[in-house]
Amino acid sequence: MKKENIIKSYDMAKEMYKGIGVDTEEVIKKLNDIPISIHCWQGDDVSGFENSEGDLTGGIQSTGNYMGKARTPEELRGDLEKAFSLIPGKKRLNLHAIYLETDGEKIERNEIEPKHFKKWVEWAKKNDIGLDFNPTLFSHEYADDGMTLSHPDKKIRDFWIEHVKRCRKISEYFGKELGTPCVNNIWIPDGFKDITVDKLGPRKRLEESLDEILEEKMDPKYHLDAVESKLFGIGSESYVVGSHEFYMGYAMKNKTVLCLDAGHFHPTEVISNKISAISLFVSDILLHVSRPVRWDSDHVIVLDEELQEIAKEIIRNKLLDRVHIGLDFFDASINRIASWSIGTRNMLKALLIALLEPTTTLAEAERGFDFTTRLAMLEELKSYPWQAVWDYFCENNGYPVGLEWLDEVRDYENNVLINRK
Ligand SMILES: C[C@H](O)[C@H](O)[C@@H](O)C(=O)CO
Ligand SMILES: [Mn+2]
């Protein structure tokens, strides 16, 4: 699209939004400042570098066989740099413990240290981004029973407790090095496929394990603990130890961050409607923005109603400083860099639409029980020219406008990814 046309369309949009009391210049500034934590694991189908040939376990799956998956940390960082060049705004990188670098040495999960992530920190500094982190309690022989922190065998529990404790140290190291707190999110796959007799026992053990892990207090300037629930996984259809009620209770009692993954609830249940309620009882919320489709919780996010509702709940309730926006999807059936670009740009578009809403006017109508105005405005806003503001935002910040980013992905595919056999 020609620059002059982008500016012309933007000027018209600016006038229209001004007419409903919205300052698009202010909105653009705000959007540029919202950090989105982009997950590294889309780039290599959650393989990591500990044992990249091993199976992905834990009841999650990355289906598809698109060419060009990253096989080394260098390739993954290169792909991320490409993706970051297509995505406007402030970015963070969300790493998993299996993305460690050990120069070929076998390091067990209960032995990992900050030094194994030194290159990621150097890369983050170079790219001026913050890092987030996740212990990896799957794709390992000690998770083969489908139980980790709630395992009946103390030896296995202790192994994983030590792993998560070490991850907290790595998270703290990231926070200190990069000057922005690292959110260390604990997700475990523990559960049972079929009718479960003792549902309390594993939950008691999980609570005890978490208590032990969190015993050492850490400065929130550098590190934040988050816990993530799930309704079911593949092979844990009947019972998941770390359910929503379990972690909501745990987070409130122990003052941790609560992670809401959009794909971890009943099919008609949405996380957008949970944000305001939970914000009253926990200080911080971590989002794993994802898209559930049937049994899969991790499809690439599209600009659907729920994504827009999630963004609106954050913006309307002024929760930007307490809601950490992280993404969690992985699709191996499409170009992985395109997946990052589609999903993250959609997250930003949803936030932009929310920022362009004349919320005060709408809320006033609602408070006055004028539901006619509320519905009329909400519907009219759907066809307001937010896209012209989006194009201008991209162009002005030096990022591709419209589908231009796809040409860049194709070039990268033809020049770089093609060489990965
Ligand atoms: C790889 C992630 O840790 C994982 O997706 C987790 O966050 C999850 O959502 C599991 O379903
Ligand atoms: Mn998740």
Side-chain angles (χ1 to χ4, degrees):
M1 201 162 156
K2 279 197 196 139
K3 191 171 176 166
E4 62 201 72
N5 289 340
I6 295 170
I7 295 172
K8 234 189 260 166
S9 302
Y10 172 68
D11 284 342
M12 278 158 69
K14 190 174 165 178
E15 275 307 300
M16 267 186 89
Y17 280 109
K18 199 171 156 198
I20 53 169
V22 175
D23 180 343
T24 52
E25 296 291 320
E26 276 302 306
V27 164
I28 284 173
K29 262 190 235 144
K30 277 188 195 154
L31 186 62
N32 225 353
D33 269 352
I34 305 177
I36 309 287
S37 190
I38 299 174
H39 52 310
C40 73
W41 52 91
Q42 165 61 81
D44 72 338
D45 314 336
V46 210
S47 302
F49 306 118
E50 180 200 76
N51 171 22
S52 48
E53 299 300 313
D55 287 338
L56 172 60
T57 71
I60 51 177
Q61 255 185 24
S62 183
T63 52
N65 194 22
Y66 201 87
M67 55 88 89
K69 154 180 163 166
R71 301 159 304 177
T72 63
E74 289 72 27
E75 286 181 356
L76 185 58
R77 283 191 278 265
D79 293 356
L80 280 162
E81 279 172 29
K82 185 72 221 174
F84 283 12
S85 75
L86 310 173
I87 301 164
K90 200 167 170 179
K91 291 157 289 263
R92 301 174 63 86
L93 179 72
N94 195 5
L95 276 173
H96 239 284
I98 45 171
Y99 289 80
L100 77 176
E101 289 171 85
T102 64
D103 292 324
E105 200 187 334
K106 170 82 183 143
I107 301 292
E108 255 310 337
R109 302 250 178 117
N110 61 351
E111 295 167 350
I112 60 169
E113 293 178 56
K115 67 178 183 196
H116 302 126
F117 293 87
K118 194 169 173 278
K119 286 191 187 155
W120 282 111
V121 168
E122 282 162 7
W123 180 81
K125 282 182 184 166
K126 202 178 98 207
N127 288 279
D128 193 23
I129 59 163
L131 289 176
D132 294 309
F133 202 50
N134 304 261
T136 313
L137 294 96
F138 52 84
S139 302
H140 188 280
E141 59 180 313
Y142 277 7
D144 281 350
D145 290 330
M147 289 270 177
T148 60
L149 291 177
S150 73
H151 201 287
D153 183 344
K154 187 171 181 312
K155 185 178 126 223
I156 295 195
R157 284 202 307 281
D158 284 348
F159 174 84
W160 290 117
I161 288 169
E162 183 60 25
H163 172 63
V164 186
K165 280 185 177 174
R166 282 170 178 259
C167 287
R168 293 181 85 223
K169 290 281 182 201
I170 293 163
S171 165
E172 183 189 44
Y173 155 72
F174 287 171
K176 283 186 177 162
E177 287 290 320
L178 301 169
T180 164
C182 171
V183 183
N184 185 52
N185 178 51
I186 305 170
W187 173 73
I188 63 165
D190 301 28
F192 288 125
K193 181 185 177 77
D194 219 334
I195 303 160
T196 303
V197 176
D198 179 13
K199 292 186 175 166
L200 182 59
R203 287 186 172 137
K204 273 190 182 156
R205 291 194 290 272
L206 175 56
E207 185 189 20
E208 278 167 21
S209 296
L210 289 169
D211 286 351
E212 194 178 330
I213 287 166
L214 303 184
E215 223 160 49
E216 185 184 341
K217 297 290 160 238
M218 286 184 176
D219 191 337
K221 220 164 79 190
Y222 307 121
H223 159 87
L224 296 167
D225 295 291
V227 287
E228 179 182 8
S229 69
K230 194 167 182 176
L231 179 68
F232 76 93
I234 304 166
S236 58
E237 289 84 2
S238 297
Y239 168 72
V240 164
V241 184
S243 60
H244 178 53
E245 292 70 17
F246 175 89
Y247 279 126
M248 194 162 83
Y250 193 87
M252 284 173 190
K253 183 173 167 198
N254 297 286
K255 305 205 179 330
T256 72
V257 178
L258 183 67
C259 174
L260 297 174
D261 185 310
H264 286 188
F265 293 87
H266 286 279
T268 56
E269 200 177 352
V270 285
I271 63 163
S272 54
N273 196 24
K274 298 181 188 297
I275 295 171
S276 56
I278 288 168
S279 75
L280 296 172
F281 304 104
V282 300
S283 74
D284 286 41
I285 296 172
L286 168 66
L287 297 183
H288 269 191
V289 187
S290 188
R291 178 169 54 107
V293 176
R294 313 271 185 222
W295 56 263
D296 180 50
S297 61
D298 301 294
H299 273 50
V300 180
I301 54 173
V302 294
L303 190 57
D304 58 11
E305 213 171 327
E306 171 59 359
L307 185 64
Q308 293 184 53
E309 281 306 309
I310 291 170
K312 281 178 187 153
E313 284 301 311
I314 302 170
I315 303 297
R316 284 175 180 162
N317 299 315
K318 301 189 174 39
L319 289 171
L320 273 174
D321 55 341
R322 292 170 52 206
V323 174
H324 307 258
I325 306 174
L327 307 179
D328 186 9
F329 47 81
F330 33 99
D331 188 342
S333 74
I334 60 173
N335 181 300
R336 295 167 184 81
I337 295 149
S339 167
W340 273 318
S341 175
I342 295 165
T344 318
R345 285 171 70 105
N346 277 338
M347 185 71 243
L348 288 164
K349 284 178 187 173
L351 288 162
L352 173 65
I353 293 168
L355 287 164
L356 288 167
E357 182 187 85
T359 308
T360 315
T361 315
L362 284 161
E364 263 166 27
E366 186 170 270
R367 263 195 304 277
F369 297 94
D370 179 1
F371 304 138
T372 312
T373 301
R374 183 182 64 182
L375 187 60
M377 277 189 78
L378 283 172
E379 286 306 293
E380 227 25 72
L381 283 166
K382 286 183 181 168
S383 48
Y384 260 57
W386 63 266
Q387 178 257 341
V389 184
W390 168 253
D391 286 349
Y392 179 78
F393 171 69
C394 292
E395 168 70 27
N396 222 20
N397 289 297
Y399 289 90
V401 174
L403 260 187
E404 281 167 17
W405 66 264
L406 186 58
D407 298 334
E408 293 202 29
V409 169
R410 290 289 174 226
D411 278 354
Y412 192 77
E413 187 170 297
N414 293 330
N415 293 309
V416 180
L417 301 185
I418 198 132
N419 301 314
R420 298 179 190 168
K421 293 290 172 221

